Amino acid sequence: MAAAAVALGGCLALAVPAGSAGAAPADPVPTVFFGDSYTANFGIAPVNNLGNEKGWCFQATDDYPAVATRTLAAKGITLDVQADVSCGGALVHHFWEKQELPFGAGTVPAQQDALKENTQLVVGGLGGNTLGFVNILKQCSDKLREPSLLPGEPVDADKPARECKEFFESGDGKEWLDYKYEQVEEELDQALQRMSYFSPDARRVLVGYPRLVPQDATKCQTAAPGQTELPFADVPQDALPVLDQAQKRLNDIMKKVATDDGAEFVDLYAHTGGNTACDGADRGIGGLLENSKLDLIGATIPWYAHPNEKGRDLQAEQVAAKIETLLNS
């Protein structure tokens, strides 16, 4: 469950009836959503598939795919959602390989298995888990290194958390990061090409990650209303810009891959700078150790820096706007 929890080619245009250029498609658009815990919106309850192994994906019933679908329906654009296969803990290669669930709970099929020949829209995001963002967080936090529901290990447990800025800016830490970015880029390219192979007529939309750390990182030294822990717990102040740059570089790589592959990109990072984990009442990201809406045997699971309901709605807004523009073009 911990792993599931956190975690953390060319395309043909959709046919538009003659004389209706710029109008919404008259027929429902066969759509598949894919992704990791940021698409599944880990932390928001209730959760889908509680009666079977897919419940371990912690896919919220009202994840942003569901909210975006309703938003579009209100505008006369109907998505025929063939599947939402987003799953907490998914790495990019789980797009084409089955994903092992924690505690021997079973597996979920490769996400590409949901694609059909008639699928016309594929939307979602992957990359953060392959980059190893949890490992980065644990490298920078003693509290996160303690036994918890958050999976993964620090990149180098022998290096103290207080020195993580230096670790990631030089030597082995920088080398590790550079390798992980290359891996993300190569695997995302493969995932996008597979979408075109299995669904030749599909428009593809790759969704980036919302911003976690604000430009003014000093805001992160104030707890959110009603909270006692700082948004990033004990992550050193000088390491917060490192986290932000890591996320920005991931976002830029995702955008580049999408552009190079002829896909669309939703730049959430660029639209959520005022709703980071450190924006108090306006935060769209739950703090690392802030209680989420999920319980496990009576214990509340922390957000671990995932979008809360406000953040989910911001995701849905941007994704729906991109889909509307795409389908009306």
Side-chain angles (χ1 to χ4, degrees):
M1 172 185 140
V6 183
L8 306 35
C11 300
L12 301 179
L14 293 176
V16 178
S20 62
D27 297 325
V29 180
T31 303
V32 169
F33 290 100
F34 69 94
D36 57 22
S37 59
Y38 273 72
T39 306
N41 283 120
F42 159 79
I44 296 175
V47 170
N48 285 329
N49 304 304
L50 282 177
N52 59 65
E53 65 273 7
K54 292 182 180 179
W56 295 93
C57 287
F58 287 94
Q59 182 190 97
T61 300
D62 267 347
D63 60 4
Y64 83 68
V67 176
T69 298
R70 291 199 299 269
T71 299
L72 290 165
K75 296 184 176 184
I77 299 174
T78 303
L79 302 185
D80 172 16
V81 180
Q82 296 173 311
D84 177 352
V85 291
S86 59
C87 187
L91 287 83
V92 179
H93 73 251
H94 289 133
F95 191 78
W96 60 86
E97 294 180 8
K98 67 181 179 180
Q99 180 180 346
E100 298 283 345
L101 296 171
F103 305 125
T107 63
V108 289
Q111 296 191 16
Q112 71 179 19
D113 291 1
L115 299 177
K116 309 298 181 186
E117 188 173 356
N118 72 333
T119 300
Q120 295 183 343
L121 185 64
V122 186
V123 184
L126 289 166
N129 292 323
T130 296
L131 175 63
F133 208 78
V134 167
N135 309 95
I136 297 171
L137 288 171
K138 288 201 171 187
Q139 187 65 37
C140 296
S141 168
D142 286 319
K143 287 189 176 182
L144 293 184
R145 293 189 190 191
E146 296 172 0
S148 70
L149 293 173
L150 189 64
E153 301 294 335
V155 180
D156 185 347
D158 292 332
K159 299 289 185 180
R162 66 179 180 276
E163 297 178 5
C164 71
K165 177 181 184 294
E166 177 183 355
F167 176 76
F168 285 119
E169 290 183 343
S170 62
D172 292 343
K174 183 179 184 301
E175 184 177 342
W176 179 85
L177 264 181
D178 289 342
Y179 167 76
K180 299 300 287 185
Y181 285 122
E182 291 177 5
Q183 181 182 5
V184 170
E185 183 170 359
E186 292 172 1
E187 292 187 359
L188 278 177
D189 177 66
Q190 182 175 167
L192 287 171
Q193 291 188 39
R194 285 171 175 269
M195 293 173 200
S196 291
Y197 178 81
F198 289 106
S199 302
D201 294 341
R203 306 282 191 96
R204 300 159 300 159
V205 180
L206 185 60
V207 181
Y209 292 88
R211 190 167 185 174
L212 303 181
V213 180
Q215 183 174 2
D216 179 8
T218 61
K219 294 196 295 184
C220 299
Q221 298 309 300
T222 302
Q227 301 299 311
T228 56
E229 289 276 1
L230 295 178
F232 287 96
D234 62 335
V235 173
Q237 175 70 18
D238 68 353
L240 293 175
V242 175
L243 298 183
D244 185 50
Q245 286 304 308
Q247 191 189 18
K248 176 65 164 59
R249 186 174 172 186
L250 172 62
N251 189 75
D252 289 344
I253 286 172
M254 296 176 74
K255 184 175 183 178
K256 176 182 183 298
V257 173
T259 301
D260 290 349
D261 278 275
E264 300 292 326
F265 180 67
V266 178
D267 194 347
L268 291 176
Y269 180 94
H271 290 92
T272 52
N275 303 101
T276 70
C278 305
D279 280 297
D282 292 326
R283 68 193 183 283
I285 302 294
L288 280 180
L289 299 181
E290 178 183 350
N291 286 341
S292 76
K293 301 304 176 63
L294 293 179
D295 288 337
L296 173 63
I297 316 177
T300 305
I301 304 173
W303 283 107
Y304 293 131
H306 282 76
N308 55 24
E309 289 92 337
K310 180 188 290 288
R312 181 270 320 274
D313 291 346
L314 291 169
Q315 291 175 291
E317 177 185 359
Q318 294 297 322
V319 170
K322 175 66 71 173
I323 293 174
E324 181 180 9
T325 299
L326 188 61
L327 295 183
N328 284 338
S329 63

